[in-house]
Every structure is written in C-alpha cells, then in structure tokens.
Amino acid sequence: MSSRLFRGWLSRQSTLKGGRGMPLTEGTRSNRLSWGLRMEHSSASVPAALPYYVAFSQLLGLTVVAVTGAWLGLYRGGIAWESSLQFNVHPLCMVIGMIFLQGDALLVYRVFRREAKRTTKILHGLLHVFAFIIALVGLVAVFDYHKKKGYADLYSLHSWCGILVFVLYFVQWLVGFSFFLFPGASFSLRSRYRPQHIFFGATIFLFSVGTALLGLKEALLFKLGSKYSTFEPEGVLANVLGLLLVCFGVVVLYILAQADWKRPSQAEEQALSMDFKTLTEGDSPSPQ
C-alpha cells in the first residue's frame, strides 16, 4: 500500500513543475522511488531489543504505581477525598500522571511504528492530556488539604519544583499542540522546533522523577523523623519505591536515546510532507 501511494505521488510530481520552475527529471524520480522503497523496508523491521525494553518499562511503571498504592494503603491509611486522607490523593495522582502516563506518552513514537503518523500524534497528545488532568487532581487535593488544615503552601523545594514542572508541562503541551496538531505551522517551523520539543519533553520527564523523589523524602521525614534512620518498614518500602522511580525514568530515557529505535517515516508520509512544504513555502524539497 505504501509503495503504491508513493509511486502515485511521484507520478503526479512528474506532471507538475517543481518550486524552482523545472520539471522533475527521470533520474530524480528514480532516486525518490528508490529512497521510498528503502524507507518501506526499514520501517518493516522492528529492532530486536526494543520490545523487551518497552515491556520492561511497562513492568516497572505498573510496579511503581502498585508500590505507591501499597505504601499509602499500608502506612498512610489509604485514600479518601473528604477526610484527613485527602493528602494521599496527591502522591498517587502525581505518580500515575506525571511519571507513568507521561513516560508512556514519550514512548508512543517508539511503540507504534507502523500506524499512521496522525493517529500516533493524537495518541501522544491524549496521553499527555490524561496525565495533565490526573496531575491537576493531585494538585487540587494537596492545596485543598493544606487549606483545611491551615498549613502553609509552596515553601519547600519539592513544592517549588512541583509547580515549575507542572507549568512547564502545560506550556510544552500547548506549544506542541500548536505546532504539530493544529494546522497552522509551516513545514520549516515544525522542523526547527521538533528537536526542542523532544529535548524539553525528556527534560520535563526527568524533572518530574526528581520532584517525586524530593516529595517522597519529605513525606518520610515529616512522619518518621529520626526513626527514618532505624530502618523502619515504611522507610524501607519508600526507599524501594524511590529506586523503582529512578529505574523507570532511566529505562524510558534509554529507549528515547537510541537513534536506531526511532519511528521510521513511512513512504507516503514523506510524500505528504513534501507536498505540504511545497504548499506552505513554495519550495520543492528533497528527501531527508
């Protein structure tokens, strides 16, 4: 199917003049067709180790969520909104939203390698939306709890980092939506911003893991105090949770860092990108 679409695009291009006023030559058409067939071949194969790393990341992520729930259930009384347990909604929502779902959203382009690009984009964006909403519930829970108890807000390093991460996450999503889902940005503008989008996405995820570790340590010190150094069972379980958070973050970032594991462009996607650049910039691009 991809080969047929790509050949159809080449056929259309051969009847039109390029952006520089010159028709495509037979050699150019042949080179582009050859490139398209190579792209199809490369997209057909999945790196051998990738599925194992992705499965391992999901196992770690689900374990992080489960251990967080176990910690809150065994040592913090569980979760409830209209009681003193309202605070416990905060760590659980933050772990699910800003750690697990955000990490999965970053992996979408590694996992869904053969699906349509727009479908993958929408899934990537929706996972970030779900993560944002769940994290927002966690923020509302902790501010509401502090208000009921008369506690001060935003005085600790954890709270400062948390607000910064949340704001950056929201801005990152808005800018990403404007550039890649909203049909307004030009081809060259998208191409220039894409590396920054990828970098800040990974940075915010790393920052989220670090903020979660700060919050975990803060919660332990508030409750256990000097008993933390006596290997209290809650402290040991929380330390295990911290290590799991680090491992999940490392595995996700490792998968993202492997250039060979990036989602390959499909032949028809490259053809559509070329047509989009021609329409928006008046140029006839060459394959990249």
Side-chain angles (χ1 to χ4, degrees):
M1 181 65 179
S2 297
S3 177
R4 190 160 58 249
L5 286 171
F6 192 78
R7 288 194 185 97
W9 176 80
L10 284 175
S11 177
R12 292 196 305 273
Q13 292 298 316
S14 67
T15 63
L16 300 172
K17 290 188 175 182
R20 302 184 184 279
M22 294 295 291
L24 290 173
T25 64
E26 187 65 32
T28 303
R29 290 197 301 272
S30 176
N31 289 338
R32 288 188 177 180
L33 178 58
S34 175
W35 176 88
L37 294 176
R38 289 198 306 272
M39 185 65 70
E40 285 185 80
H41 176 73
S42 64
S43 65
S45 60
V46 176
L50 177 59
Y52 297 101
Y53 276 92
V54 171
F56 184 48
S57 73
Q58 296 311 288
L59 178 62
L60 282 173
L62 292 173
T63 304
V64 164
V65 174
V67 173
T68 302
W71 168 54
L72 295 173
L74 292 173
Y75 299 105
R76 299 292 168 132
I79 296 173
W81 190 268
E82 295 296 337
S83 72
S84 60
L85 301 178
Q86 183 180 12
F87 177 83
N88 294 343
V89 175
H90 174 70
L92 183 62
C93 285
M94 289 305 179
V95 166
I96 293 175
M98 297 300 291
I99 306 296
F100 181 58
L101 287 181
Q102 184 183 179
D104 276 3
L106 297 179
L107 295 179
V108 161
Y109 287 101
R110 301 297 188 272
V111 176
F112 299 97
R113 303 171 63 82
R114 296 190 181 95
E115 285 70 18
K117 184 68 173 289
R118 184 164 183 81
T119 301
T120 310
K121 281 184 181 181
I122 292 174
L123 178 59
H124 176 74
L126 284 177
L127 282 175
H128 280 306
V129 169
F130 294 147
F132 178 83
I133 292 173
I134 293 173
L136 181 61
V137 172
L139 277 182
V140 171
V142 72
F143 278 111
D144 192 46
Y145 174 80
H146 283 181
K147 182 179 178 181
K148 292 175 181 177
K149 295 292 185 179
Y151 296 157
D153 290 316
L154 300 177
Y155 65 89
S156 66
L157 178 60
H158 167 69
S159 61
W160 286 23
C161 290
I163 291 297
L164 178 60
V165 167
F166 189 76
V167 171
L168 289 175
Y169 190 68
F170 181 61
V171 172
Q172 168 84 345
W173 189 90
L174 282 180
V175 176
F177 177 83
S178 301
F179 274 82
F180 300 115
L181 282 174
F182 188 78
S186 67
F187 184 89
S188 62
L189 194 59
R190 292 182 181 186
S191 298
R192 287 197 298 268
Y193 174 66
R194 185 175 291 109
Q196 282 71 38
H197 182 73
I198 295 172
F199 170 78
F200 283 110
T203 301
I204 292 170
F205 174 70
L206 181 62
F207 205 0
S208 299
V209 173
T211 302
L213 293 175
L214 284 174
L216 184 62
K217 181 67 178 293
E218 185 178 285
L220 291 174
L221 291 178
F222 278 166
K223 182 181 178 182
L224 298 180
S226 60
K227 292 182 179 179
Y228 185 30
S229 61
T230 63
F231 292 93
E232 285 285 313
E234 179 181 357
V236 173
L237 180 61
N239 287 348
V240 171
L241 174 57
L243 291 176
L244 289 171
L245 284 166
V246 171
C247 290
F248 178 69
V250 168
V251 173
V252 169
L253 292 176
Y254 179 81
I255 294 172
L256 295 176
Q258 305 308 302
D260 294 341
W261 294 358
K262 291 182 179 180
R263 179 185 184 276
S265 297
Q266 307 298 322
E268 66 270 22
E269 291 172 8
Q270 184 67 19
L272 291 173
S273 295
M274 291 177 177
D275 283 339
F276 178 69
K277 183 172 182 181
T278 302
L279 288 172
T280 58
E281 300 177 16
D283 192 10
S284 181
S286 59
Q288 296 179 351

